[in-house]
Amino acid sequence: VHGLQDWNVKPDNALPIYNALPGPKALWAGQWAHDYPDINHFNADWSRHDWNGSLLVWFDHFLKGVANGWDEKPSVHLEIHDSGPNPVAVVQEDAWPPGNLDWRPLWLDARDMALREASPAAPSEAAFSSRSVLRFQWSVPEDMDVIGPMALRLWIKAQDSGDLVLFAGIRKFRAGAEVTFEGSFGFSGDMPSKGWQRAAHREIDDRLSIPAQPVHTHDRAEPLAPGEIARIDIALRQHA
């Protein structure tokens, strides 16, 4: 059981453990914080009381040997959110991330600050200071569920510094207004996903990483050399 907005035990720490577990297992994942699904200290209406029934069925099957069909059900229960705290659907999948996802790469284009589904024809660059932001826009071409991990890859050069920390976020807009979600510990105006990465700790652990979720070794600091252009991979929090 894991809340995708849990910032005490982060999803990218817990979900790989679930995937590595052998034998029978089940996963509940949704937009709650450091809590059980049926306990929401900020709004009782956000609680998932069907969690209690699933727990009893699980124990009846594995502890009492009751033939209740649990072993025939998909192992992952996943909330899908369109906005706010309440899910629009709860779907059952056989794995996390679901095996039927359509992984979609997008490219940053600084010429018009857009995200593109095809690699830009020409290279581009954009500059920003420690007190400013860069915003890239993608107009979603069709209705879709955005599920699972994401990653952002940047090529950066720092001026007058050997290190920096980059913060990235995914924001959703509809008809010109921002759509927000339940965040950690009752913060109700959160974005769908976010991530951050220190440039000096950019070394990737190739054993644990997948293309959509880089994992860093944190074995040593590698300061940026003057004029160096370095690749930085930022893992964005897993979501649905």
Side-chain angles (χ1 to χ4, degrees):
V1 178
H2 205 88
L4 298 179
Q5 293 292 349
D6 188 340
W7 302 109
N8 281 355
V9 184
K10 298 178 179 59
D12 53 341
N13 299 146
L15 294 175
I17 296 176
Y18 168 80
N19 284 330
L21 289 173
K25 57 187 176 181
L27 171 69
W28 272 56
Q31 296 298 113
W32 56 82
H34 193 67
D35 250 329
Y36 291 105
D38 62 322
I39 303 173
N40 196 303
H41 291 109
F42 304 99
N43 189 329
D45 292 337
W46 300 350
S47 300
R48 287 285 309 279
H49 297 293
D50 51 339
W51 147 253
N52 298 302
S54 293
L55 193 64
L56 291 175
V57 174
W58 164 273
F59 283 124
D60 281 347
H61 181 77
F62 287 103
L63 296 183
K64 299 180 180 180
V66 176
N68 53 21
W70 178 270
D71 53 330
E72 301 173 2
K73 296 180 179 180
S75 58
V76 176
H77 294 242
L78 179 65
E79 288 188 354
I80 305 296
H81 286 251
D82 183 55
S83 65
N86 298 316
V88 295
V90 178
V91 299
Q92 297 185 358
E93 302 286 352
D94 291 321
W96 177 265
N100 58 355
L101 295 182
D102 177 19
W103 298 99
R104 183 174 303 200
L106 301 173
W107 281 264
L108 302 174
D109 192 344
R111 294 175 299 175
D112 56 0
M113 305 306 289
L115 280 166
R116 302 194 182 282
E117 297 188 48
S119 179
S124 59
E125 62 181 48
F128 63 98
S129 71
S130 61
R131 296 184 179 275
S132 64
V133 298
L134 295 177
R135 294 183 175 91
F136 294 83
Q137 180 174 311
W138 179 45
S139 295
V140 182
E142 71 269 358
D143 288 341
M144 65 175 66
D145 293 329
V146 182
I147 299 173
M150 287 192 292
L152 173 63
R153 174 169 292 177
L154 301 172
W155 296 88
I156 67 164
K157 180 172 68 173
Q159 183 175 349
D160 302 325
S161 176
D163 197 9
L164 71 162
V165 179
L166 295 166
F167 294 84
I170 303 297
R171 300 169 67 188
K172 177 180 178 179
F173 291 84
R174 179 188 291 134
E178 184 168 9
V179 178
T180 59
F181 298 81
E182 179 189 3
S184 182
F185 300 103
F187 175 56
S188 60
D190 208 354
M191 58 185 69
S193 184
K194 63 177 78 70
W196 48 90
Q197 182 60 42
R198 182 181 171 189
H201 279 234
R202 60 189 178 276
E203 183 179 52
I204 294 293
D205 189 328
D206 292 325
R207 297 180 304 108
L208 300 177
S209 297
I210 60 174
Q213 194 77 169
V215 178
H216 299 82
T217 63
H218 298 291
D219 287 336
R220 58 196 174 99
E222 297 180 89
L224 298 167
E228 178 185 4
I229 298 177
R231 192 188 89 186
I232 309 293
D233 292 294
I234 303 174
L236 302 176
R237 306 300 102 176
Q238 306 194 41
H239 56 279

